[in-house]
Structures are given as structure tokens and as C-alpha cells.
Amino acid sequence: MGRGSPIPTMLHRKIVEQYQKGVTQRKIAKTLHLSSSTVHNIIRRFRESGTISVRKGQGRKTILDARDLRALKRHCTTNRNATVKEITEWAQEYFQKPLSVNTIHRAIRRCQLKLYSAKKKPFLSKIHKLRRCHWARDHLKWSVAKWKTVLWSDESRFKVLFGNLGRHVIRTKEDKDNPSCYQRSVQKPASLMVWGCMSACGMGSLHVWKGTINAEKYIQVLEQHMLPSRRHLFQGRPCIFQQDNARPHSASITTSWLRRRRIRVLKWPVCSPDLSPIENIWRIIKRKVRQRRPKTIEQLEACIRQEWESIPISKLEKLVSSVPRRLLSVVRRRGDATQW
């Protein structure tokens, strides 16, 4: 048995039983393949305490006790964006103890905390939060059936991916300058801007933009793609068209065109991608496209269309049915960003 390895309880019991039968300590050590000092210490502890329980080790005490850890945890949860170096500088001044970065890193883990990559969410001012909260309260009374009459639309950008994916690489310390361990990146990768629409009934049309987006081109997309998708998905039933507040969407000519067409538009709060189910569709498609790793613009467009058409209706119904919960989450968070 290796140096410092703990002796199993069953082995403790065997040593004590042999000792009580009158077997010598040397013979016990030879039979159980243990050192004489180990057997002697176990028997001596049994004589003193009358039990075979192992007392707690007397190792070096931690530099931060339970009270210090509670103070550290409060500071970390209050300053969630601080670096470990900044937390270490604060801890050295607050506790008046010589603390290293590694010590604080271990202490943070002892507090059941861990460093994660933060989710990216849009910046929300006080006015944005207030408007989002008012909008959510006004639409909380909508049923799931009414949300299923909404035609959701949005644009998203897809990029051609080059090189290795991910920020992590498995290597030794000496391989840091090995070319196979580099994370390759392109300054301006080729990309596509895609417009699409969907509802709980199914996926609508998909359009790939050519060039820059303006109000005139956006109206053409609505005529060529949104109107046919609305007829196909709702079969003449009344529906509500949803779009965000991008400039081509809120332009006066776009608003006039929608009014002439008698299209009912859902008033939408600014900076609220977390309230639209189509944003989840974009994330699903981008994840699947990354796995397929298209190398050209043509391959990228083909992958996007294939993944767009493969979204099941059950997934769409689930996402649309989650809108009331999203609104409730906005109200509870007083207009701040939600988990969606």
C-alpha cells in the first residue's frame, strides 16, 4: 500500500480482531502485508479510544475559513464581471492576508462558483426595460391560440467558417507555438444575410439578400415571400405580422405599404430578440450549419435552406407556446433580458 494511502475500515477491523485473539503485531503485519508501525498505531489507537474509527487528520489549516469564504462569495456575486486578479487584490486588502491568484481560484471553487463565458444579450437602458415591461403586461392576456396566429419574421447573418472551431485545444505546455494548436480566424469572412418567416403552422419562405438592405428591397421581399407564406400557412385565416424595429421595417414607405395591404402588424418593443421564437430557429440552424462546415457561399446557402426546411412543426409549436412564459419572465425581471 502506498505511502499516505488510507487504510480501509475492513482492514482496521481485521487488525483489531487478530489483536484480540492474541496474535502478535509482527505476525498481523506480515499476514496483512502492512508495516509494523501501521499495525502498532492502529492497535494503540484502539487501546486509547476503544474504537476503530480514524480520527481526522491534523493537516495544515486553510488560509481562508468559512467566514472568509462567505465574504468572498458575497463579493464575487456582487462583482460578477471582475477578473480573478482583481478579486485577489480586493481579498488581500480586505482579509489582510498574503493571498495568491491560485489560492483565490481554489477558494472560488470552494464557494461553489465557477468562471463561465457570459451569455451575450443586447444592452437595455431604463427606458427600454420600462417599455418592454409595459408591452409584456399588455400582452399577458393573450392566449397560446392567439400567439399561433402570428407570422414571425426576422433577418440573420450566416458566415462561412474557416479553420478550427472552438477556443480550446488539447496540447502540452511546450506545444503552444505548434501550428496545429493555433486557432485560425479570418478578418472578413464571406457571409449571407437571410430573411425568413415562420408560425406555429410551419416554416414560411426563405430569402437570401443580395447587397445592402433598404426599405425598397424589404418591400419587395414582403411582396414576393411574406404574402405567399401568409396565404400558404394560414389559408385565408386572419393573422398578425411580426417584425422588429430595424430601419427598413420602420421606414415610412414600409409602413404605408403595410397599411395599404391591410396587414395587421404586431407592435414590437425595441431590443427584444428574446421574445421572438424565430430567434431560436436561427440559433438551431447556425448550430447545425457549424457542424456541417460549408466552405463556400454556395454550400452555405444550400445548408441553410436544407436546415430551414427540416425544422419540425412540433418544434415550432413548442417555441410559439413559450411566448406567454417569456412575457411573464420579462415582467418578473422588470423588463430585463430573459433566458430565451
Side-chain angles (χ1 to χ4, degrees):
M1 187 169 295
R3 178 181 177 87
S5 301
I7 306 299
T9 306
M10 290 295 297
L11 204 55
H12 277 255
R13 190 173 290 109
K14 287 183 179 180
I15 293 172
V16 172
E17 289 175 356
Q18 293 290 328
Y19 168 74
Q20 290 176 336
K21 292 179 181 179
V23 183
T24 63
Q25 296 184 16
R26 183 174 296 179
K27 190 172 183 179
I28 294 173
K30 185 176 182 181
T31 305
L32 300 178
H33 305 288
L34 296 173
S35 64
S36 299
S37 60
T38 300
V39 175
H40 172 74
N41 291 334
I42 293 174
I43 293 175
R44 179 172 55 83
R45 194 177 301 122
F46 173 73
R47 288 174 181 172
E48 294 173 355
S49 62
T51 61
I52 61 172
S53 60
V54 180
R55 64 181 179 178
K56 189 176 181 180
Q58 301 295 320
R60 180 181 177 182
K61 294 182 179 180
T62 57
I63 193 168
L64 296 177
D65 55 19
R67 184 177 181 181
D68 297 336
L69 290 179
R70 289 195 297 270
L72 177 65
K73 187 174 183 178
R74 286 195 301 268
H75 179 78
C76 291
T77 52
T78 305
N79 305 273
R80 293 185 183 275
N81 299 112
T83 62
V84 178
K85 184 178 180 180
E86 293 172 347
I87 297 174
T88 303
E89 293 173 355
W90 168 86
Q92 290 172 351
E93 182 179 356
Y94 184 84
F95 298 118
Q96 295 297 313
K97 295 178 180 180
L99 299 168
S100 65
V101 174
N102 292 334
T103 300
I104 294 300
H105 214 151
R106 290 193 297 269
I108 291 174
R109 288 198 296 267
R110 287 172 60 194
C111 295
Q112 305 299 319
L113 299 176
K114 191 177 179 181
L115 297 174
Y116 291 94
S117 298
K119 283 186 175 182
K120 293 183 179 180
K121 295 289 183 179
F123 173 78
L124 295 171
S125 64
K126 291 183 178 179
I127 297 177
H128 293 160
K129 293 179 182 179
L130 185 63
R131 291 176 179 174
R132 277 166 52 91
C133 195
H134 287 333
W135 186 89
R137 284 198 182 100
D138 293 339
H139 293 80
L140 273 176
K141 57 186 176 182
W142 282 25
S143 63
V144 175
K146 190 166 185 178
W147 286 112
K148 289 184 178 181
T149 63
V150 177
L151 180 63
W152 307 88
S153 70
D154 191 32
E155 297 93 3
S156 185
R157 184 174 294 278
F158 291 79
K159 296 180 180 179
V160 177
L161 302 173
F162 296 91
N164 299 324
L165 296 177
R167 296 178 300 168
H168 304 285
V169 62
I170 301 175
R171 64 172 178 83
T172 62
K173 185 176 181 181
E174 292 75 18
D175 285 338
K176 64 178 181 178
D177 290 322
N178 190 319
S180 63
C181 298
Y182 291 152
Q183 180 187 359
R184 309 289 182 169
S185 62
V186 179
Q187 290 186 352
K188 293 183 180 180
S191 61
L192 291 175
M193 179 64 77
V194 180
W195 178 93
C197 62
M198 51 79 68
S199 72
C201 307
M203 302 298 289
S205 182
L206 192 71
H207 173 72
V208 178
W209 292 98
K210 303 295 183 181
T212 58
I213 305 172
N214 53 32
E216 290 80 5
K217 291 184 178 180
Y218 181 66
I219 291 174
Q220 293 178 4
V221 171
L222 295 181
E223 290 179 341
Q224 298 172 8
H225 297 277
M226 189 272 286
L227 294 179
S229 298
R230 187 178 67 159
R231 289 192 297 267
H232 170 70
L233 294 174
F234 294 96
Q235 301 293 325
R237 299 188 303 273
C239 71
I240 306 171
F241 178 59
Q242 181 274 339
Q243 59 180 1
D244 58 22
N245 297 285
R247 288 188 177 182
H249 304 175
S250 58
S252 58
I253 58 173
T254 305
T255 306
S256 301
W257 183 88
L258 292 169
R259 191 181 302 113
R260 288 196 308 270
R261 290 284 185 164
R262 296 182 179 179
I263 298 173
R264 184 182 174 186
V265 180
L266 178 65
K267 188 177 179 181
W268 194 251
V270 297
C271 301
S272 300
D274 54 341
L275 299 180
S276 177
I278 197 172
E279 294 288 346
N280 301 87
I281 298 296
W282 292 133
R283 285 198 290 270
I284 293 172
I285 295 176
K286 286 182 179 180
R287 183 176 67 249
K288 292 184 177 180
V289 168
R290 279 198 300 268
Q291 295 172 354
R292 299 178 63 172
R293 298 179 66 89
K295 300 299 183 183
T296 63
I297 287 290
E298 292 76 16
Q299 294 178 3
L300 177 62
E301 182 176 352
C303 290
I304 295 171
R305 293 189 181 276
Q306 291 173 8
E307 298 299 340
W308 176 267
E309 295 172 357
S310 65
I311 301 294
I313 294 180
S314 58
K315 186 66 176 180
L316 302 178
E317 292 179 345
K318 183 178 179 181
L319 290 174
V320 174
S321 300
S322 69
V323 175
R325 297 197 301 273
R326 302 179 190 220
L327 302 182
L328 190 60
S329 180
V330 169
V331 174
R332 288 174 177 173
R333 298 190 180 195
R334 298 180 181 179
D336 209 342
T338 63
Q339 62 180 347
W340 282 277

